Amino acid sequence: MNDIYFNYNTIYVETGVTLSELSWFALEKEIQGFEFLEDVPGSVGGATIMNAGTYQDMIGDILSTVTYYSKKFNRVITEEVQKEFFGKRYPIWGERGDTILSVSFKVQKRIEDYEPILDKILLNKKNRYMKQPRDYPNAGSVFKRPYKNGVGQYVWKLFEGCDLRGFQIGSAMISEKHPGFIVNIDNATPNDILSLLDVAQTRVKSKYDIDLELEWKII
Ligand SMILES: Cc1cc2nc3c(=O)[nH]c(=O)nc-3n(C[C@H](O)[C@H](O)[C@H](O)COP(=O)(O)OP(=O)(O)OC[C@H]3O[C@@H](n4cnc5c(N)ncnc54)[C@H](O)[C@@H]3O)c2cc1C
């Protein structure tokens, strides 16, 4: 499931391709718009189910079609992507337990010069490296960005206000570099991490009256 090719104005990708491979493939073809995916870990399949991206750009915004195996209908279906599929951030295929096989992206921004695209990829990578913890294992950003009275809040700021930067239970620690992440500084257990989530949610609720919703899926 690692095939990727470009034909006329469309990129076709099987879902085992990584987001980084997709981003560099687009660069080689001088296609803009995939730079934000370079440093997000994971596959195109996982990213489609999680609607991966940044707070500005998400994969759901640029997908054109999704081809999946439907357990319910026992057949392979190709579907044009509609905006409402991603209405609540996570799309319908995950909820139904479909298996995504491949996706396509319509390409509008072919610029015949790879350098500005390369600059953007490298800048994204640098910014993320500067901000995110890379010294300890972690599972990425923990909580979705919360809203209060329609205004987006930064999780890391809320955590700072609750003295959570560097707060530790067992070997699970709220990152000192970026409090939006929980890092495993030694041999953290699931219980260490769950307890830390609980403390963080409780403190933020009691100080700011904000309910933090997990970005992770706990399995
Ligand atoms: C250090 C770090 C930084 C991160 N930064 C970001 C970020 O900036 N933005 C962001 O959005 N996410 C980020 N994440 C989270 C992660 O990169 C995304 O959720 C990514 O989409 C996961 O892809 P995956 O292939 O690993 O999927 P998995 O985590 O393996 O799976 C995710 C879900 O998709 C399902 N799934 C996977 N493949 C398929 C398929 N082909 N068909 C059907 N279901 C499937 C799985 O069953 C699971 O439910 C980060 C994670 C880490 C560890």
Side-chain angles (χ1 to χ4, degrees):
M1 306 263 287
N2 284 326
D3 209 9
I4 177 165
Y5 62 95
F6 176 58
N7 188 7
Y8 185 49
N9 63 352
T10 306
I11 298 179
Y12 297 90
V13 196
E14 290 186 337
T15 44
V17 171
T18 67
L19 297 172
S20 173
E21 285 165 344
L22 170 58
S23 186
W24 286 90
F25 179 87
L27 166 72
E28 292 295 330
K29 303 288 177 213
E30 296 167 336
I31 297 166
Q32 280 184 323
F34 293 79
E35 301 88 338
F36 71 100
L37 292 173
E38 200 282 333
D39 200 59
V40 179
S43 65
V44 168
T48 302
I49 293 293
M50 300 302 288
N51 195 13
T54 62
Y55 69 96
Q56 288 164 312
D57 304 293
M58 304 217 213
I59 197 165
D61 300 333
I62 57 172
L63 279 170
S64 301
T65 63
V66 169
T67 300
Y68 60 95
Y69 167 71
S70 160
K71 232 190 312 192
K72 187 172 167 197
F73 298 111
N74 189 26
R75 64 187 174 97
V76 172
I77 298 170
T78 297
E79 209 159 40
E80 297 268 338
V81 173
Q82 313 289 332
K83 268 215 155 66
E84 51 270 24
F85 289 178
F86 292 88
K88 285 189 276 162
R89 177 161 171 135
Y90 297 124
I92 47 177
W93 307 289
E95 282 161 27
R96 293 196 304 232
D98 300 328
T99 303
I100 316 269
L101 304 172
S102 62
V103 301
S104 76
F105 303 90
K106 279 260 174 312
V107 170
Q108 275 138 17
K109 302 176 193 158
R110 194 139 191 239
I111 61 167
E112 294 176 5
D113 179 7
Y114 72 87
E115 213 173 328
I117 307 173
L118 178 60
D119 286 346
K120 210 166 162 189
I121 286 181
L122 296 177
L123 183 64
N124 280 349
K125 213 169 165 60
K126 179 180 171 196
N127 286 341
R128 285 169 62 95
Y129 190 89
M130 305 273 288
K131 285 186 199 148
Q132 298 184 0
R134 298 288 160 111
D135 44 356
Y136 294 112
N138 67 81
S141 160
V142 183
F143 293 107
K144 291 181 194 169
R145 191 169 185 200
Y147 285 81
K148 188 167 184 183
N149 305 326
V151 182
Q153 310 288 319
Y154 289 105
V155 171
W156 67 268
K157 271 196 188 163
L158 301 175
F159 279 21
E160 284 221 314
C162 296
D163 292 326
L164 285 166
R165 190 188 278 266
F167 183 77
Q168 195 177 329
I169 294 181
S171 292
M173 184 173 89
I174 292 179
S175 168
E176 284 180 331
K177 188 170 175 189
H178 189 317
F181 291 67
I182 290 179
V183 291
N184 178 355
I185 57 170
D186 190 7
N187 275 310
T189 64
N191 274 342
D192 293 341
I193 296 170
L194 292 173
S195 308
L196 202 49
L197 294 178
D198 192 41
V199 171
Q201 283 172 314
T202 308
R203 282 197 195 176
V204 168
K205 176 74 181 168
S206 85
K207 178 147 187 186
Y208 298 104
D209 193 25
I210 290 176
D211 292 302
L212 290 178
E213 202 186 328
L214 274 180
E215 184 140 356
W216 297 349
K217 288 185 182 182
I218 296 183
I219 51 173

mmCIF file of all heavy atoms in Angstrom, residues 1 15-16 19 36 39-54 89 93-94 97-101 128 132-134 138-141 181 215 217 219, ligand 1:
data_model
loop_
_atom_site.group_PDB
_atom_site.id
_atom_site.type_symbol
_atom_site.label_atom_id
_atom_site.label_comp_id
_atom_site.label_asym_id
_atom_site.label_seq_id
_atom_site.Cartn_x
_atom_site.Cartn_y
_atom_site.Cartn_z
ATOM 1 N N MET A 1 0.850 -1.208 0.000
ATOM 2 C CA MET A 1 0.000 0.000 0.000
ATOM 3 C C MET A 1 0.884 1.255 0.000
ATOM 4 O O MET A 1 0.619 2.190 0.725
ATOM 5 C CB MET A 1 -0.882 -0.006 1.252
ATOM 6 C CG MET A 1 -1.702 -1.258 1.440
ATOM 7 S SD MET A 1 -3.356 -1.067 0.836
ATOM 8 C CE MET A 1 -4.038 -0.017 2.098
ATOM 9 N N THR A 15 -2.644 4.195 1.121
ATOM 10 C CA THR A 15 -2.663 4.742 2.485
ATOM 11 C C THR A 15 -1.486 4.315 3.364
ATOM 12 O O THR A 15 -1.358 4.783 4.479
ATOM 13 C CB THR A 15 -3.994 4.409 3.186
ATOM 14 O OG1 THR A 15 -4.325 3.059 2.930
ATOM 15 C CG2 THR A 15 -5.094 5.312 2.707
ATOM 16 N N GLY A 16 -0.592 3.455 2.833
ATOM 17 C CA GLY A 16 0.615 3.136 3.599
ATOM 18 C C GLY A 16 1.716 4.170 3.423
ATOM 19 O O GLY A 16 2.706 4.169 4.166
ATOM 20 N N LEU A 19 3.156 10.605 5.629
ATOM 21 C CA LEU A 19 2.862 12.018 5.341
ATOM 22 C C LEU A 19 4.113 12.730 4.848
ATOM 23 O O LEU A 19 4.051 13.594 3.971
ATOM 24 C CB LEU A 19 2.309 12.686 6.601
ATOM 25 C CG LEU A 19 0.985 12.088 7.080
ATOM 26 C CD1 LEU A 19 0.589 12.654 8.432
ATOM 27 C CD2 LEU A 19 -0.124 12.332 6.059
ATOM 28 N N PHE A 36 2.695 21.359 5.043
ATOM 29 C CA PHE A 36 2.334 21.239 6.466
ATOM 30 C C PHE A 36 2.358 19.792 6.957
ATOM 31 O O PHE A 36 2.370 19.532 8.144
ATOM 32 C CB PHE A 36 0.963 21.880 6.746
ATOM 33 C CG PHE A 36 -0.214 21.118 6.173
ATOM 34 C CD1 PHE A 36 -0.971 20.284 6.983
ATOM 35 C CD2 PHE A 36 -0.567 21.248 4.842
ATOM 36 C CE1 PHE A 36 -2.063 19.588 6.476
ATOM 37 C CE2 PHE A 36 -1.656 20.554 4.319
ATOM 38 C CZ PHE A 36 -2.400 19.714 5.127
ATOM 39 N N ASP A 39 6.197 17.101 8.716
ATOM 40 C CA ASP A 39 6.720 16.735 10.038
ATOM 41 C C ASP A 39 5.677 16.051 10.921
ATOM 42 O O ASP A 39 5.925 15.780 12.088
ATOM 43 C CB ASP A 39 7.255 18.001 10.740
ATOM 44 C CG ASP A 39 8.218 17.666 11.862
ATOM 45 O OD1 ASP A 39 9.246 17.024 11.576
ATOM 46 O OD2 ASP A 39 7.924 18.030 13.023
ATOM 47 N N VAL A 40 4.507 15.777 10.366
ATOM 48 C CA VAL A 40 3.473 15.085 11.160
ATOM 49 C C VAL A 40 3.711 13.584 10.998
ATOM 50 O O VAL A 40 3.689 13.071 9.883
ATOM 51 C CB VAL A 40 2.048 15.452 10.674
ATOM 52 C CG1 VAL A 40 0.995 14.716 11.497
ATOM 53 C CG2 VAL A 40 1.825 16.952 10.744
ATOM 54 N N PRO A 41 3.973 12.855 12.113
ATOM 55 C CA PRO A 41 4.271 11.433 11.962
ATOM 56 C C PRO A 41 3.038 10.633 11.559
ATOM 57 O O PRO A 41 1.927 10.983 11.945
ATOM 58 C CB PRO A 41 4.740 11.003 13.356
ATOM 59 C CG PRO A 41 4.593 12.160 14.257
ATOM 60 C CD PRO A 41 4.013 13.309 13.508
ATOM 61 N N GLY A 42 3.237 9.575 10.791
ATOM 62 C CA GLY A 42 2.123 8.674 10.495
ATOM 63 C C GLY A 42 1.899 8.482 9.001
ATOM 64 O O GLY A 42 2.620 9.020 8.157
ATOM 65 N N SER A 43 0.871 7.694 8.699
ATOM 66 C CA SER A 43 0.557 7.317 7.318
ATOM 67 C C SER A 43 -0.612 8.155 6.793
ATOM 68 O O SER A 43 -1.357 8.765 7.579
ATOM 69 C CB SER A 43 0.152 5.841 7.291
ATOM 70 O OG SER A 43 -1.049 5.695 8.024
ATOM 71 N N VAL A 44 -0.797 8.106 5.491
ATOM 72 C CA VAL A 44 -1.921 8.826 4.882
ATOM 73 C C VAL A 44 -3.252 8.229 5.370
ATOM 74 O O VAL A 44 -4.223 8.956 5.586
ATOM 75 C CB VAL A 44 -1.794 8.787 3.338
ATOM 76 C CG1 VAL A 44 -3.069 9.254 2.669
ATOM 77 C CG2 VAL A 44 -0.603 9.635 2.899
ATOM 78 N N GLY A 45 -3.281 6.909 5.611
ATOM 79 C CA GLY A 45 -4.504 6.274 6.127
ATOM 80 C C GLY A 45 -4.857 6.783 7.522
ATOM 81 O O GLY A 45 -5.987 7.231 7.776
ATOM 82 N N GLY A 46 -3.877 6.745 8.423
ATOM 83 C CA GLY A 46 -4.108 7.234 9.795
ATOM 84 C C GLY A 46 -4.472 8.711 9.780
ATOM 85 O O GLY A 46 -5.352 9.162 10.519
ATOM 86 N N ALA A 47 -3.806 9.466 8.915
ATOM 87 C CA ALA A 47 -4.061 10.912 8.861
ATOM 88 C C ALA A 47 -5.474 11.203 8.361
ATOM 89 O O ALA A 47 -6.116 12.156 8.806
ATOM 90 C CB ALA A 47 -3.038 11.582 7.951
ATOM 91 N N THR A 48 -5.962 10.380 7.437
ATOM 92 C CA THR A 48 -7.320 10.595 6.924
ATOM 93 C C THR A 48 -8.340 10.334 8.032
ATOM 94 O O THR A 48 -9.297 11.091 8.211
ATOM 95 C CB THR A 48 -7.580 9.669 5.713
ATOM 96 O OG1 THR A 48 -6.600 9.964 4.723
ATOM 97 C CG2 THR A 48 -8.965 9.878 5.134
ATOM 98 N N ILE A 49 -8.094 9.275 8.808
ATOM 99 C CA ILE A 49 -9.012 8.951 9.906
ATOM 100 C C ILE A 49 -8.953 10.003 11.017
ATOM 101 O O ILE A 49 -9.959 10.341 11.633
ATOM 102 C CB ILE A 49 -8.672 7.554 10.489
ATOM 103 C CG1 ILE A 49 -8.979 6.470 9.462
ATOM 104 C CG2 ILE A 49 -9.384 7.281 11.806
ATOM 105 C CD1 ILE A 49 -10.449 6.302 9.142
ATOM 106 N N MET A 50 -7.752 10.545 11.257
ATOM 107 C CA MET A 50 -7.591 11.509 12.352
ATOM 108 C C MET A 50 -7.750 12.957 11.871
ATOM 109 O O MET A 50 -7.676 13.882 12.663
ATOM 110 C CB MET A 50 -6.192 11.355 12.986
ATOM 111 C CG MET A 50 -5.907 9.987 13.566
ATOM 112 S SD MET A 50 -7.086 9.496 14.823
ATOM 113 C CE MET A 50 -6.626 10.573 16.188
ATOM 114 N N ASN A 51 -7.938 13.142 10.561
ATOM 115 C CA ASN A 51 -7.916 14.489 9.974
ATOM 116 C C ASN A 51 -6.711 15.274 10.488
ATOM 117 O O ASN A 51 -6.835 16.349 11.084
ATOM 118 C CB ASN A 51 -9.212 15.245 10.246
ATOM 119 C CG ASN A 51 -9.338 16.471 9.350
ATOM 120 O OD1 ASN A 51 -8.601 16.632 8.386
ATOM 121 N ND2 ASN A 51 -10.282 17.340 9.670
ATOM 122 N N ALA A 52 -5.540 14.706 10.217
ATOM 123 C CA ALA A 52 -4.297 15.267 10.762
ATOM 124 C C ALA A 52 -3.945 16.583 10.087
ATOM 125 O O ALA A 52 -4.352 16.861 8.953
ATOM 126 C CB ALA A 52 -3.158 14.270 10.560
ATOM 127 N N GLY A 53 -3.170 17.371 10.804
ATOM 128 C CA GLY A 53 -2.708 18.638 10.244
ATOM 129 C C GLY A 53 -2.263 19.583 11.329
ATOM 130 O O GLY A 53 -1.811 19.152 12.395
ATOM 131 N N THR A 54 -2.408 20.868 11.029
ATOM 132 C CA THR A 54 -2.041 21.885 11.999
ATOM 133 C C THR A 54 -3.306 22.672 12.324
ATOM 134 O O THR A 54 -4.364 22.381 11.771
ATOM 135 C CB THR A 54 -1.006 22.852 11.391
ATOM 136 O OG1 THR A 54 -1.632 23.503 10.276
ATOM 137 C CG2 THR A 54 0.226 22.094 10.918
ATOM 138 N N ARG A 89 -14.466 17.385 13.111
ATOM 139 C CA ARG A 89 -13.036 17.115 13.023
ATOM 140 C C ARG A 89 -12.763 15.679 12.590
ATOM 141 O O ARG A 89 -12.048 15.455 11.658
ATOM 142 C CB ARG A 89 -12.271 17.427 14.317
ATOM 143 C CG ARG A 89 -10.812 17.018 14.096
ATOM 144 C CD ARG A 89 -9.801 17.600 14.994
ATOM 145 N NE ARG A 89 -8.559 16.903 14.729
ATOM 146 C CZ ARG A 89 -7.393 17.459 14.584
ATOM 147 N NH1 ARG A 89 -7.259 18.733 14.716
ATOM 148 N NH2 ARG A 89 -6.322 16.739 14.337
ATOM 149 N N TRP A 93 -15.493 7.697 8.156
ATOM 150 C CA TRP A 93 -14.965 6.349 7.878
ATOM 151 C C TRP A 93 -14.468 5.673 9.146
ATOM 152 O O TRP A 93 -14.632 4.470 9.320
ATOM 153 C CB TRP A 93 -13.849 6.409 6.826
ATOM 154 C CG TRP A 93 -14.284 7.138 5.604
ATOM 155 C CD1 TRP A 93 -15.181 6.698 4.674
ATOM 156 C CD2 TRP A 93 -13.896 8.448 5.208
ATOM 157 N NE1 TRP A 93 -15.357 7.662 3.717
ATOM 158 C CE2 TRP A 93 -14.585 8.738 4.010
ATOM 159 C CE3 TRP A 93 -13.027 9.404 5.741
ATOM 160 C CZ2 TRP A 93 -14.430 9.944 3.334
ATOM 161 C CZ3 TRP A 93 -12.873 10.601 5.077
ATOM 162 C CH2 TRP A 93 -13.571 10.861 3.894
ATOM 163 N N GLY A 94 -13.851 6.442 10.032
ATOM 164 C CA GLY A 94 -13.336 5.886 11.289
ATOM 165 C C GLY A 94 -14.479 5.381 12.154
ATOM 166 O O GLY A 94 -14.413 4.289 12.720
ATOM 167 N N GLY A 97 -15.745 2.110 10.895
ATOM 168 C CA GLY A 97 -14.793 1.002 10.842
ATOM 169 C C GLY A 97 -14.421 0.608 9.420
ATOM 170 O O GLY A 97 -13.998 -0.519 9.165
ATOM 171 N N ASP A 98 -14.539 1.549 8.449
ATOM 172 C CA ASP A 98 -14.097 1.270 7.084
ATOM 173 C C ASP A 98 -12.570 1.243 7.033
ATOM 174 O O ASP A 98 -11.901 1.891 7.848
ATOM 175 C CB ASP A 98 -14.582 2.379 6.139
ATOM 176 C CG ASP A 98 -16.100 2.494 6.115
ATOM 177 O OD1 ASP A 98 -16.778 1.463 6.288
ATOM 178 O OD2 ASP A 98 -16.600 3.626 5.935
ATOM 179 N N THR A 99 -12.025 0.530 6.055
ATOM 180 C CA THR A 99 -10.572 0.519 5.865
ATOM 181 C C THR A 99 -10.237 1.370 4.646
ATOM 182 O O THR A 99 -10.664 1.063 3.530
ATOM 183 C CB THR A 99 -10.061 -0.911 5.629
ATOM 184 O OG1 THR A 99 -10.463 -1.705 6.737
ATOM 185 C CG2 THR A 99 -8.554 -0.945 5.491
ATOM 186 N N ILE A 100 -9.478 2.434 4.884
ATOM 187 C CA ILE A 100 -9.139 3.331 3.772
ATOM 188 C C ILE A 100 -7.999 2.695 2.977
ATOM 189 O O ILE A 100 -6.964 2.315 3.547
ATOM 190 C CB ILE A 100 -8.678 4.710 4.282
ATOM 191 C CG1 ILE A 100 -9.572 5.226 5.397
ATOM 192 C CG2 ILE A 100 -8.558 5.691 3.133
ATOM 193 C CD1 ILE A 100 -10.706 6.057 5.024
ATOM 194 N N LEU A 101 -8.182 2.602 1.671
ATOM 195 C CA LEU A 101 -7.176 1.961 0.820
ATOM 196 C C LEU A 101 -6.316 2.995 0.087
ATOM 197 O O LEU A 101 -5.099 2.847 0.009
ATOM 198 C CB LEU A 101 -7.870 1.052 -0.203
ATOM 199 C CG LEU A 101 -8.795 -0.017 0.406
ATOM 200 C CD1 LEU A 101 -9.572 -0.731 -0.678
ATOM 201 C CD2 LEU A 101 -7.977 -1.002 1.224
ATOM 202 N N ARG A 128 8.714 23.517 14.312
ATOM 203 C CA ARG A 128 8.200 22.432 15.155
ATOM 204 C C ARG A 128 9.308 21.878 16.049
ATOM 205 O O ARG A 128 9.074 21.566 17.213
ATOM 206 C CB ARG A 128 7.588 21.329 14.287
ATOM 207 C CG ARG A 128 6.225 21.738 13.720
ATOM 208 C CD ARG A 128 5.742 20.782 12.668
ATOM 209 N NE ARG A 128 5.522 19.445 13.132
ATOM 210 C CZ ARG A 128 4.345 18.946 13.547
ATOM 211 N NH1 ARG A 128 3.275 19.714 13.542
ATOM 212 N NH2 ARG A 128 4.232 17.699 13.956
ATOM 213 N N GLN A 132 8.561 21.820 19.937
ATOM 214 C CA GLN A 132 8.048 20.548 20.459
ATOM 215 C C GLN A 132 9.143 19.734 21.127
ATOM 216 O O GLN A 132 10.304 19.816 20.729
ATOM 217 C CB GLN A 132 7.428 19.729 19.321
ATOM 218 C CG GLN A 132 6.254 20.426 18.681
ATOM 219 C CD GLN A 132 5.580 19.560 17.624
ATOM 220 O OE1 GLN A 132 5.988 18.441 17.360
ATOM 221 N NE2 GLN A 132 4.548 20.105 17.018
ATOM 222 N N PRO A 133 8.768 18.902 22.115
ATOM 223 C CA PRO A 133 9.790 18.063 22.757
ATOM 224 C C PRO A 133 10.271 16.968 21.816
ATOM 225 O O PRO A 133 9.459 16.269 21.241
ATOM 226 C CB PRO A 133 9.039 17.451 23.945
ATOM 227 C CG PRO A 133 7.603 17.531 23.594
ATOM 228 C CD PRO A 133 7.425 18.692 22.673
ATOM 229 N N ARG A 134 11.560 16.869 21.631
ATOM 230 C CA ARG A 134 12.121 15.806 20.785
ATOM 231 C C ARG A 134 13.076 14.940 21.593
ATOM 232 O O ARG A 134 13.682 14.013 21.074
ATOM 233 C CB ARG A 134 12.875 16.401 19.583
ATOM 234 C CG ARG A 134 11.992 17.212 18.645
ATOM 235 C CD ARG A 134 11.060 16.310 17.849
ATOM 236 N NE ARG A 134 9.919 17.027 17.322
ATOM 237 C CZ ARG A 134 9.704 17.289 16.039
ATOM 238 N NH1 ARG A 134 10.559 16.899 15.135
ATOM 239 N NH2 ARG A 134 8.623 17.935 15.664
ATOM 240 N N ASN A 138 6.867 10.719 23.022
ATOM 241 C CA ASN A 138 5.564 11.310 23.327
ATOM 242 C C ASN A 138 4.596 10.978 22.207
ATOM 243 O O ASN A 138 5.002 10.495 21.154
ATOM 244 C CB ASN A 138 5.696 12.833 23.518
ATOM 245 C CG ASN A 138 6.060 13.544 22.236
ATOM 246 O OD1 ASN A 138 5.195 13.810 21.415
ATOM 247 N ND2 ASN A 138 7.338 13.814 22.027
ATOM 248 N N ALA A 139 3.317 11.198 22.459
ATOM 249 C CA ALA A 139 2.288 10.841 21.470
ATOM 250 C C ALA A 139 1.664 12.080 20.841
ATOM 251 O O ALA A 139 0.504 12.094 20.459
ATOM 252 C CB ALA A 139 1.216 9.969 22.114
ATOM 253 N N GLY A 140 2.461 13.146 20.739
ATOM 254 C CA GLY A 140 1.963 14.359 20.095
ATOM 255 C C GLY A 140 1.083 15.177 21.029
ATOM 256 O O GLY A 140 0.988 14.912 22.231
ATOM 257 N N SER A 141 0.450 16.158 20.442
ATOM 258 C CA SER A 141 -0.357 17.092 21.218
ATOM 259 C C SER A 141 -1.504 16.339 21.921
ATOM 260 O O SER A 141 -2.157 15.502 21.327
ATOM 261 C CB SER A 141 -0.861 18.139 20.226
ATOM 262 O OG SER A 141 -1.948 18.797 20.708
ATOM 263 N N PHE A 181 2.287 18.886 25.489
ATOM 264 C CA PHE A 181 2.703 17.499 25.275
ATOM 265 C C PHE A 181 2.983 16.815 26.613
ATOM 266 O O PHE A 181 3.463 17.452 27.540
ATOM 267 C CB PHE A 181 4.006 17.433 24.458
ATOM 268 C CG PHE A 181 3.853 17.865 23.024
ATOM 269 C CD1 PHE A 181 3.568 19.178 22.698
ATOM 270 C CD2 PHE A 181 4.012 16.953 21.995
ATOM 271 C CE1 PHE A 181 3.436 19.586 21.370
ATOM 272 C CE2 PHE A 181 3.881 17.347 20.673
ATOM 273 C CZ PHE A 181 3.589 18.656 20.366
ATOM 274 N N GLU A 215 -7.175 14.872 22.260
ATOM 275 C CA GLU A 215 -6.901 14.678 20.828
ATOM 276 C C GLU A 215 -6.561 13.203 20.592
ATOM 277 O O GLU A 215 -6.796 12.662 19.528
ATOM 278 C CB GLU A 215 -5.719 15.563 20.424
ATOM 279 C CG GLU A 215 -5.409 15.508 18.959
ATOM 280 C CD GLU A 215 -5.038 16.882 18.399
ATOM 281 O OE1 GLU A 215 -5.093 17.887 19.128
ATOM 282 O OE2 GLU A 215 -4.692 16.929 17.235
ATOM 283 N N LYS A 217 -6.663 9.047 20.929
ATOM 284 C CA LYS A 217 -7.632 7.973 21.178
ATOM 285 C C LYS A 217 -6.953 7.052 22.185
ATOM 286 O O LYS A 217 -5.820 6.628 21.952
ATOM 287 C CB LYS A 217 -7.894 7.174 19.916
ATOM 288 C CG LYS A 217 -8.708 7.892 18.882
ATOM 289 C CD LYS A 217 -8.993 6.943 17.726
ATOM 290 C CE LYS A 217 -9.780 7.639 16.645
ATOM 291 N NZ LYS A 217 -10.109 6.743 15.535
ATOM 292 N N ILE A 219 -6.677 3.426 23.700
ATOM 293 C CA ILE A 219 -7.141 2.077 23.318
ATOM 294 C C ILE A 219 -6.768 1.071 24.413
ATOM 295 O O ILE A 219 -5.867 1.305 25.196
ATOM 296 C CB ILE A 219 -6.550 1.618 21.961
ATOM 297 C CG1 ILE A 219 -5.024 1.779 21.943
ATOM 298 C CG2 ILE A 219 -7.162 2.413 20.826
ATOM 299 C CD1 ILE A 219 -4.366 1.205 20.719
HETATM 300 C C1 LIG B 1 5.489 13.598 18.053
HETATM 301 C C2 LIG B 1 4.130 13.633 17.441
HETATM 302 C C3 LIG B 1 3.679 14.792 16.825
HETATM 303 C C4 LIG B 1 2.409 14.823 16.246
HETATM 304 N N1 LIG B 1 2.015 15.977 15.629
HETATM 305 C C5 LIG B 1 0.792 16.016 15.060
HETATM 306 C C6 LIG B 1 0.352 17.185 14.367
HETATM 307 O O1 LIG B 1 1.058 18.173 14.241
HETATM 308 N N2 LIG B 1 -0.887 17.166 13.820
HETATM 309 C C7 LIG B 1 -1.714 16.066 13.913
HETATM 310 O O2 LIG B 1 -2.834 16.105 13.371
HETATM 311 N N3 LIG B 1 -1.323 14.949 14.550
HETATM 312 C C8 LIG B 1 -0.098 14.895 15.110
HETATM 313 N N4 LIG B 1 0.300 13.763 15.757
HETATM 314 C C9 LIG B 1 -0.603 12.613 15.793
HETATM 315 C C10 LIG B 1 -0.407 11.648 14.607
HETATM 316 O O3 LIG B 1 0.691 12.023 13.829
HETATM 317 C C11 LIG B 1 -1.643 11.647 13.706
HETATM 318 O O4 LIG B 1 -2.797 11.275 14.431
HETATM 319 C C12 LIG B 1 -1.471 10.678 12.531
HETATM 320 O O5 LIG B 1 -2.542 10.863 11.662
HETATM 321 C C13 LIG B 1 -1.390 9.239 12.981
HETATM 322 O O6 LIG B 1 -1.137 8.432 11.837
HETATM 323 P P1 LIG B 1 -0.823 6.873 11.991
HETATM 324 O O7 LIG B 1 -0.631 6.356 10.605
HETATM 325 O O8 LIG B 1 0.280 6.684 12.973
HETATM 326 O O9 LIG B 1 -2.198 6.345 12.541
HETATM 327 P P2 LIG B 1 -2.481 5.502 13.869
HETATM 328 O O10 LIG B 1 -2.186 6.378 15.054
HETATM 329 O O11 LIG B 1 -1.846 4.190 13.751
HETATM 330 O O12 LIG B 1 -4.046 5.332 13.702
HETATM 331 C C14 LIG B 1 -4.944 6.389 13.946
HETATM 332 C C15 LIG B 1 -6.359 5.840 13.741
HETATM 333 O O13 LIG B 1 -6.571 5.605 12.348
HETATM 334 C C16 LIG B 1 -6.928 4.230 12.121
HETATM 335 N N5 LIG B 1 -6.307 3.885 10.836
HETATM 336 C C17 LIG B 1 -5.003 3.944 10.485
HETATM 337 N N6 LIG B 1 -4.852 3.616 9.189
HETATM 338 C C18 LIG B 1 -6.084 3.329 8.693
HETATM 339 C C19 LIG B 1 -6.598 2.929 7.412
HETATM 340 N N7 LIG B 1 -5.821 2.745 6.346
HETATM 341 N N8 LIG B 1 -7.949 2.716 7.297
HETATM 342 C C20 LIG B 1 -8.781 2.885 8.353
HETATM 343 N N9 LIG B 1 -8.363 3.252 9.583
HETATM 344 C C21 LIG B 1 -7.031 3.491 9.755
HETATM 345 C C22 LIG B 1 -6.382 3.477 13.317
HETATM 346 O O14 LIG B 1 -7.118 2.283 13.521
HETATM 347 C C23 LIG B 1 -6.605 4.485 14.436
HETATM 348 O O15 LIG B 1 -7.955 4.482 14.873
HETATM 349 C C24 LIG B 1 1.569 13.690 16.314
HETATM 350 C C25 LIG B 1 2.032 12.515 16.927
HETATM 351 C C26 LIG B 1 3.294 12.480 17.475
HETATM 352 C C27 LIG B 1 3.768 11.202 18.101
#
